[in-house]
Amino acid sequence: MSASFTAEELFQWIEEGRDYVYLDVRGEEDHARFSIEGPSEITLLNIPYYDFMEDPEGAVAQLDPSSTYRTICAKQGSAMFVAEVLGEAGFEDVRWLEGGMTGWGQVLIPKRISTPEGYELWQFNRPGKASCSYGLVHEGQMMVFDPSRNADFYTSFAEAHGVRITHLFETHLQADYVSGGASLAAATGATYHAHDGDFASSTLSYTSVVDGATVSFEGGRGPGVLCTHAPGHTPGSTVYLIDERYMVSGDTVFIVSVGRPDLGKKVVEWAKQLYATLKERICTLPDALMVLPGHYTDWGTEATEDHLIMNDFGTIKALNESIYGLDREEDFIAYIVDNMRDQPEVYNTIRQVNAGLLSPAAEELDTMDLGKNECAASHMAA
Amino acid sequence: MAHDDEIDCSGMNCPLPVLKTKMKIDGMAAGSTLKVITTDPGSCQDIPAWANRVGHEVVETGEGDGKFWFMVKRGE
């Protein structure tokens, strides 16, 4: 029986730059659609598991016995099967991914952001989605921003750190992943903050975000969270300014690009809103503000040396001169329209799930919640 | 549609549906058709992708009652 590894170990190995060869044994289509990636370059091969059934010798002959292989599939059965085949062929230390790509898609990696004393700020990176949620901790309480579906992660994190989750914030109604907000609110009793612009037609019980209001920890001490309505990516998009130093920017400001305003099929109307938001509400913020985005596209350009997805707003404006340099609304709309592309069909279903209008079975949720985000207005920095 | 043999892989997870199908069809004559029944959603992509890769043909597919079925015609 060959040994396995977890999705957390997989991330750690990629981060450490371990000299492994990752062998994806899913079909070529699945591999092309969604695969593993992380902070450093990896060697990744794709040989479908059925090749190891039809022509085991031919499939094995494509591999180098002196390399160390880590096999990956959709769930785990096929990766285990191929690991066994390789083991029988004399390959040493072959291991397979527990829970497969489904598990990889859900894993969250906590990293602490350096802050002034008195509070802790955590980035929870979800490498399988290229998305980030955040935790703000102060005196035994934690606020969580944009929790993803893996609610157990957040409750376990809170328990391990001896804190209780008291507030949950949505930056917007997510289209690309299933939110954990409502289930975490039910599990913890935390106040669930969301903007009417996105959530008014939902069936969820939430507290309406008020533009310009500050949410504080119990006792009134610690960093405040200033809610700022930032429509454009969605009508209810909100950014949260923490301690006047950090901005949880959701899908409004990314390190590279801005959140695409075409997902609601009202591209011109929403692009106008986004232009006004950027000019009047975002560009007036200080350059030193650290931006903590909801998504990223590329580790190489968007991560710090410590593998945090963040940067200061001044640097972000310089990185995205082709967007922030546009001084006429019509030029901005033209930029958005030029960079438009289709959105995955599943996004509409995910929006309905996140508004409480649909409750699919767990396995169906697993499937729709998988795959990298498509939320940026453009792919390249300029 | 008419078929020459049938294999029920209900309840089996990847890689078993493809493995059982392969073993069964290997013993059948070229041009004959095997009906494969599965419950694993992963088989919906894997059975056709495998068949295409090894020279068999999926001539018909369907689903209902939580099951999927595939008519696989053995290649030469």
Side-chain angles (χ1 to χ4, degrees):
Chain A
M1 184 78 188
S2 54
S4 62
F5 61 96
T6 64
E8 285 87 353
E9 284 177 286
L10 172 55
F11 183 84
Q12 196 185 334
W13 293 340
I14 297 175
E15 189 163 41
E16 292 170 2
R18 293 279 187 103
D19 189 18
Y20 295 145
V21 177
Y22 299 98
L23 176 60
D24 185 350
V25 300
R26 294 174 301 158
E28 290 167 330
E29 262 184 51
D30 284 341
H31 175 76
R33 186 163 43 230
F34 173 46
S35 196
I36 58 166
E37 59 182 43
S40 43
E41 292 294 317
I42 54 173
T43 307
L44 179 61
L45 303 179
N46 177 218
I47 304 176
Y49 68 89
Y50 31 78
D51 285 10
F52 290 87
M53 295 172 178
E54 287 294 335
D55 178 16
E57 286 171 13
V60 170
Q62 296 176 54
L63 304 174
D64 175 2
S66 67
S67 295
T68 305
Y69 288 92
R70 296 288 179 261
T71 62
I72 293 164
C73 68
K75 288 182 181 158
Q76 66 182 33
S78 303
M80 197 190 307
F81 165 76
V82 172
E84 299 284 340
V85 171
L86 293 181
E88 282 163 21
F91 286 64
E92 288 177 12
D93 185 30
V94 184
R95 292 166 66 178
W96 50 271
L97 174 61
E98 280 173 36
M101 289 302 286
T102 307
W104 169 254
Q106 291 294 335
V107 80
L108 290 156
I109 308 294
K111 283 193 185 291
R112 189 166 168 188
I113 295 166
S114 158
T115 61
E117 278 184 35
Y119 62 96
E120 291 176 17
L121 189 51
W122 291 82
Q123 182 170 68
F124 305 123
N125 194 322
R126 185 176 170 193
K129 180 61 71 181
S131 68
C132 298
S133 53
Y134 297 90
L136 177 64
V137 175
H138 170 73
E139 286 186 353
Q141 305 162 50
M142 177 157 82
M143 298 183 180
V144 179
F145 301 81
D146 282 344
S148 61
R149 184 178 155 231
N150 186 354
D152 286 350
F153 168 85
Y154 301 97
T155 50
S156 305
F157 182 93
E159 199 180 322
H161 288 75
V163 300
R164 65 203 163 82
I165 298 172
T166 52
H167 292 274
L168 299 159
F169 297 87
E170 296 282 9
T171 57
H172 62 295
L173 182 68
Q174 306 279 354
D176 65 299
Y177 65 82
V178 177
S179 169
S183 56
L184 260 181
T188 62
T191 308
Y192 186 32
H193 303 267
H195 196 282
D196 289 342
D198 284 3
F199 285 81
S201 62
S202 83
T203 62
L204 307 176
S205 159
Y206 67 94
T207 299
S208 299
V209 164
V210 177
D211 179 43
T214 297
V215 178
S216 305
F217 285 96
E218 281 168 33
R221 290 189 302 277
V225 176
L226 172 64
C227 309
T228 301
H229 187 211
H233 176 63
T234 63
S237 280
T238 303
V239 299
Y240 298 100
L241 298 169
I242 298 170
D243 194 26
E244 299 178 5
R245 295 167 188 269
Y246 305 93
M247 173 166 66
V248 175
S249 65
D251 287 14
T252 297
V253 178
F254 295 134
I255 308 298
V256 170
S257 198
V258 292
R260 56 192 292 192
D262 62 310
L263 292 180
K265 313 248 164 83
K266 296 176 185 168
V267 57
V268 173
E269 188 184 327
W270 290 16
K272 284 181 177 179
Q273 288 184 10
L274 181 58
Y275 181 76
T277 288
L278 293 176
K279 287 294 169 196
E280 294 160 19
R281 322 210 94 192
I282 301 293
C283 286
T284 50
L285 296 168
D287 283 355
L289 190 72
M290 292 304 291
V291 174
L292 307 173
H295 286 297
Y296 55 95
T297 302
D298 177 50
W299 281 92
T301 48
E302 297 180 87
T304 66
E305 283 180 4
D306 302 324
H307 303 149
L308 284 162
I309 306 295
M310 66 174 195
N311 214 327
D312 66 84
F313 186 48
T315 303
I316 287 172
K317 280 187 289 188
L319 269 175
N320 298 279
E321 174 62 24
S322 62
I323 297 173
Y324 293 98
L326 297 172
D327 282 325
R328 296 192 318 168
E329 187 189 73
E330 56 265 41
D331 293 343
F332 182 79
I333 293 167
Y335 175 88
I336 291 297
V337 170
D338 284 349
N339 283 282
M340 263 173 61
R341 61 203 187 281
D342 290 343
Q343 59 177 307
E345 281 174 25
V346 73
Y347 279 16
N348 194 39
T349 312
I350 294 177
R351 270 190 284 265
Q352 293 183 51
V353 171
N354 286 338
L357 302 169
L358 276 180
S359 306
E363 189 158 356
E364 216 175 315
L365 280 175
D366 279 345
T367 308
M368 72 173 66
D369 200 27
L370 222 53
K372 193 171 175 175
N373 81 85
E374 280 285 346
C375 298
S378 52
H379 277 310
M380 302 294 290
Chain B
M1 69 177 269
H3 49 277
D4 303 295
D5 209 339
E6 185 172 311
I7 182 170
D8 189 349
C9 301
S10 297
M12 292 179 195
N13 286 319
C14 204
L16 287 176
V18 173
L19 185 60
K20 299 277 183 194
T21 302
K22 174 208 152 34
M23 288 164 71
K24 186 88 179 176
I25 210 165
D26 278 355
M28 293 170 63
S32 56
T33 302
L34 173 66
K35 180 176 185 178
V36 183
I37 300 163
T38 68
T39 50
D40 178 17
S43 62
C44 296
Q45 287 188 20
D46 286 2
I47 300 257
W50 157 78
N52 186 44
R53 202 163 170 96
V54 301
H56 305 318
E57 188 187 355
V58 175
V59 290
E60 204 176 305
T61 62
E63 67 172 287
D65 295 334
K67 298 195 179 202
F68 310 100
W69 56 266
F70 310 84
M71 294 293 183
V72 187
K73 188 176 173 191
R74 195 195 193 295
E76 298 301 318

